[in-house]
Amino acid sequence: MSRWTPDAAGRLLKAALTLFDERGYEATTVVEIAEAAGLTKRTFFRYFADKREVLFMGSALLQDKWVTAVRDAPPQAGAMEAVDVGLDAVAELFTDRHPLARVRARIIVANSGLQERELIKLAKLADALAAALRARGVADPAAELAAQTGVTVFHSAFGRWVKQDDPEALRRLMDEALADLRTVVAG
Amino acid sequence: MSRWTPDAAGRLLKAALTLFDERGYEATTVVEIAEAAGLTKRTFFRYFADKREVLFMGSALLQDKWVTAVRDAPPQAGAMEAVDVGLDAVAELFTDRHPLARVRARIIVANSGLQERELIKLAKLADALAAALRARGVADPAAELAAQTGVTVFHSAFGRWVKQDDPEALRRLMDEALADLRTVVAG
């Protein structure tokens, strides 16, 4: 039907975030998002199952980048080191997306259903990282614990990153969170 | 209407776990659970909003015990130490419930909606523990990281505990998980 539309998913994301932020998530419809992006409802549904999934398009990309980086980390890297190598790829992925990430964070925090979805995505991310570590020969419980700790560090640093103004700060905030976690667990 | 029924909640829990385990969670109705417990549907709804909540009656108790223990930990205890003191209370709470916990774990693992509910309860538990640590004067991010690490240790150890036969093993498995986590994050 419609012609090929360059970066339709990105345009739908920006339109959705703007509308969710201005009018509220619940009050915004798929038709309004598509219209604001200059696209049809039909095109919307080619990319997303529903309006909620627009907010989680980044989760699959995040997981893919991180898992790939863990898989490709130097063979001699330990479990936590491989997870940490992956955080470089994650920081790189998000740095250009700071303005969108900040708006998205405001939308998620205002809606308990979206917060729950976010938690579930983070748990699936930890599972995928643990599987990638096992594939490197890391045994459980180390694989599971390193993966979960990596997600804890990411989540804590990301929460700080969206609350401050510097897009470049994510990797530094991750380093600080990991250092803080080491201090905390050392007692 | 009905007379006071001793330990109605406990009887409903046992009946529900047995039926969920035998017939499947989806296939079991509230009426069947109430009947198997020798109670009425009306009594069921006095204790639980729906059949799912029967499986999560322990979550509130777990959170209450752990948060109280963190609050009452010696004033000089650090963040992770206070969380760890709380694990004594948690281990004590669950030791007598090993047979029920094992059946419950089988039911949860077979249903993705229940797994998601479990993740959300664990995230709320981490939030409550972080709040209890802040009330002790622990600043963020240490409060948040110690709380999340405590939940990671609990979750990992609990998963092992329900897969083995010794009801008394929970506290030891928690100690091992915390030691493993320390080794992992030290790199």
Side-chain angles (χ1 to χ4, degrees), chain B residues 45-119:
Chain B
F45 287 117
R46 203 172 296 150
Y47 291 93
F48 304 106
D50 54 40
K51 69 175 176 178
R52 191 180 67 174
E53 284 314 300
V54 184
L55 291 168
F56 294 97
M57 68 179 280
S59 304
L61 197 56
L62 160 63
Q63 182 168 315
D64 184 54
K65 290 267 180 195
W66 200 346
V67 165
T68 301
V70 166
R71 195 191 61 202
D72 297 344
Q76 70 279 12
M80 203 64 221
E81 199 181 339
V83 166
D84 192 45
V85 164
L87 287 175
D88 287 338
V90 171
E92 199 186 313
L93 171 67
F94 281 110
T95 295
D96 289 345
R97 300 170 193 220
H98 192 239
L100 293 178
R102 299 184 84 174
V103 177
R104 179 183 178 278
R106 276 205 298 273
I107 296 160
I108 303 271
V109 87
N111 184 301
S112 63
L114 296 175
Q115 285 173 49
E116 294 190 349
R117 193 83 213 136
E118 182 91 315
L119 292 171

Side-chain angles (χ1 to χ4, degrees), chain A residues 119, chain B residues 63 118-128 148 151:
Chain A
L119 292 172
Chain B
Q63 182 168 315
E118 182 91 315
L119 292 171
I120 290 158
K121 293 282 183 180
L122 289 170
K124 288 188 200 300
L125 173 60
D127 286 347
Q148 185 56 59
V151 170

